Amino acid sequence: RDRYYTDAVSWAQASGIVNGYSTSVFGVSDSITREQFVTILYRYAEYKNCDITVNETANYVDSDSISDYARNAVDWLSEQEIMSGNTDGTFAPQANSTRAQTAAVFMRINEKLK
């Protein structure tokens, strides 16, 4: 169905920036987790030919709960000071990204990707 985001999602999928849960389920109406969000940003930075080399592993209290697909993204965005953890030392990878967090991250990544 045509929605206001159809073209953007199609472009992002074709560009390798976003994927669905499977070949038949995309989940466009689902909330986005923090690890999904950083993965999208990381893939977008790669798409923009940014240096996405990870020099340090982020050390969060809950690092073991970060999905394998998101590890480099979490490390890179943490290292670049684009997205950080919570005051309690967690990253909370499966927590939903709030609008405030998302806005702050977009501001920081816009500054870094100039």
Side-chain angles (χ1 to χ4, degrees), residues 1-59:
R1 301 187 311 191
D2 283 331
R3 302 280 187 172
Y4 70 91
Y5 51 76
T6 300
D7 291 342
V9 171
S10 294
W11 170 83
Q13 184 177 26
S15 299
I17 297 168
V18 297
N19 299 312
Y21 297 115
S22 69
T23 57
S24 60
V25 178
F26 198 83
V28 293
S29 297
D30 294 354
S31 296
I32 191 167
T33 65
R34 289 171 52 85
E35 68 180 3
Q36 290 169 335
F37 183 45
V38 296
T39 301
I40 290 169
L41 294 172
Y42 179 76
R43 290 176 183 164
Y44 182 71
E46 182 177 34
Y47 172 83
K48 296 293 286 179
N49 295 313
C50 295
D51 181 3
I52 56 167
T53 303
V54 174
N55 298 307
E56 297 178 21
T57 301
N59 189 16

Side-chain angles (χ1 to χ4, degrees), residues 53-69:
T53 303
V54 174
N55 298 307
E56 297 178 21
T57 301
N59 189 16
Y60 295 109
V61 174
D62 57 351
S63 288
D64 289 346
S65 64
I66 298 169
S67 298
D68 288 341
Y69 76 84

